[in-house]
Amino acid sequence: MVWDGFVAFYLFLAGLGAGAFVLGVLAGWAKNPAPRMKKIAFLVVLVTVAVGTLVLVFDAKAGLGNPMRFFLLVTNLSSVMAWGVIILSAFLVVAFVDLVILMVKKKTPKALDIVGLALSVCVAAYTGVLLGDAGVAFPLWNMAVLPILFVVSAASTGFAAVLLVTRLAAPDEAAGLPLLAKASLVLPVLELVLVVVLLAVTASVQGSAAEAAAASVGALVSGAYAVPFWLGFVGIGLVLPFCLELLGRRKAGAGEAAGSSKALAIAGELGVLVGGFMLRYLVIMAALPVVLA
């Protein structure tokens, strides 16, 4: 099976949900807990991962239109996709149970949170593994780098989505976690470094895959996808949020209006979401298969 651009929606939503769960747990474990942020995070998880899973099932031509294909999809344990559906299902169950307990008891069991954290990392990494298991050799879909890159991007997009909703629904909790201020600066840099590594590793491929590898990197850096790569992913998705975070800190330090800093933060979080989707879309669309003579 070879993926097209449509599956980028699944990769984006699943990764976002995984990152959102991590932030929800951190919000509950913080020295000064943020219960509303945690609730928002778990709601984001349920919506995004559920919708993302439906996109994956639809793209696999399964579901109600072909229930037998869906049955085979989840029972073929030699398939990476089957394990992905199982992991996603378990993750959704844990997130749902966590949310119900949070609604009833106001505090979730730490053991359940830890299980959810492990599953969230698996979900985020799986979105990268899924591409590498396409059945056709795509040098850009490097199994050593892509899962790590998607885990970091999942954290960025998940944090951004939860913060965006929290700023609107519970603004007093949006700045309650010191870790988030550091993450908003560290994650874009780390993501950019991993993208550079991915491109460098791909460009260094030798042998029969060298032509496809060079063409994939060229398509992103200077070819057909250069504009969305540099403008959509690097510019809007990484550089803009990083700069807006620095500017917001400067304005806050200077005692300027809180509304101005909030507007900058929201713009930065929207930029992160745009960049997270663009990353997955571009990785799919720019990848060229190895053609054996």
Side-chain angles (χ1 to χ4, degrees), residues 254-280:
E256 296 189 27
S260 176
S261 297
K262 180 179 178 180
L264 291 175
I266 289 175
E269 285 144 13
L270 289 172
V272 170
L273 296 177
V274 170
F277 175 77
M278 291 303 300
L279 170 65
R280 289 153 179 82

Side-chain angles (χ1 to χ4, degrees), residues 93-115:
V93 169
V94 170
F96 177 76
V97 172
D98 248 347
L99 179 60
V100 171
I101 294 174
L102 184 63
M103 295 286 196
V104 175
K105 295 187 176 181
K106 310 302 180 183
K107 188 176 182 180
T108 56
K110 193 168 185 178
L112 188 61
D113 286 345
I114 292 173
V115 171

Side-chain angles (χ1 to χ4, degrees), residues 178-197:
L179 172 67
L180 293 177
K182 297 178 181 179
S184 61
L185 294 178
V186 172
L187 289 175
V189 174
L190 183 56
E191 193 171 341
L192 181 59
V193 169
L194 287 169
V195 168
V196 171
V197 171

Side-chain angles (χ1 to χ4, degrees):
M1 178 180 295
V2 178
W3 302 112
D4 57 24
F6 182 72
V7 82
F9 288 102
Y10 156 70
L11 299 178
F12 172 69
L13 291 171
L16 189 158
F21 188 92
V22 173
L23 181 52
V25 171
L26 293 177
W29 289 358
K31 185 177 181 180
N32 297 312
R36 285 176 292 175
M37 181 185 289
K38 184 170 184 175
K39 191 180 299 182
I40 288 169
F42 287 172
L43 286 170
V44 169
V45 172
L46 291 175
V47 172
T48 56
V49 178
V51 173
T53 303
L54 289 175
V55 170
L56 178 64
V57 170
F58 178 80
D59 194 58
K61 306 299 185 294
L64 296 176
N66 193 345
M68 182 55 66
R69 181 179 174 86
F70 181 76
F71 176 77
L72 294 174
L73 177 68
V74 298
T75 56
N76 178 18
L77 298 184
S78 64
S79 166
V80 170
M81 185 184 293
W83 281 105
V85 172
I86 293 170
I87 292 170
L88 283 166
S89 300
F91 182 55
L92 277 171
V93 169
V94 170
F96 177 76
V97 172
D98 248 347
L99 179 60
V100 171
I101 294 174
L102 184 63
M103 295 286 196
V104 175
K105 295 187 176 181
K106 310 302 180 183
K107 188 176 182 180
T108 56
K110 193 168 185 178
L112 188 61
D113 286 345
I114 292 173
V115 171
L117 284 176
L119 287 171
S120 67
V121 174
C122 291
V123 168
Y126 165 73
T127 59
V129 173
L130 179 63
L131 294 181
D133 191 60
V136 180
F138 288 82
L140 187 62
W141 296 349
N142 185 280
M143 289 283 279
V145 182
L146 198 59
I148 301 173
L149 171 59
F150 278 9
V151 167
V152 173
S153 180
S156 293
T157 54
F159 287 16
V162 174
L163 274 172
L164 180 62
V165 178
T166 303
R167 290 189 197 282
L168 300 175
D172 56 309
E173 291 189 359
L177 299 179
L179 172 67
L180 293 177
K182 297 178 181 179
S184 61
L185 294 178
V186 172
L187 289 175
V189 174
L190 183 56
E191 193 171 341
L192 181 59
V193 169
L194 287 169
V195 168
V196 171
V197 171
L198 176 64
L199 295 180
V201 169
T202 304
S204 67
V205 169
Q206 302 295 319
S208 61
E211 183 178 353
S216 295
V217 173
L220 288 172
V221 175
S222 59
Y225 297 101
V227 173
F229 176 75
W230 291 110
L231 179 61
F233 171 62
V234 176
I236 296 176
L238 299 179
V239 176
L240 179 64
F242 184 88
C243 293
L244 289 178
E245 175 64 25
L246 291 178
L247 182 59
R249 290 187 179 195
R250 183 177 178 181
K251 286 180 174 292
E256 296 189 27
S260 176
S261 297
K262 180 179 178 180
L264 291 175
I266 289 175
E269 285 144 13
L270 289 172
V272 170
L273 296 177
V274 170
F277 175 77
M278 291 303 300
L279 170 65
R280 289 153 179 82
Y281 178 79
L282 291 169
V283 163
I284 292 171
M285 300 305 296
L288 294 174
V290 176
V291 179
L292 299 177

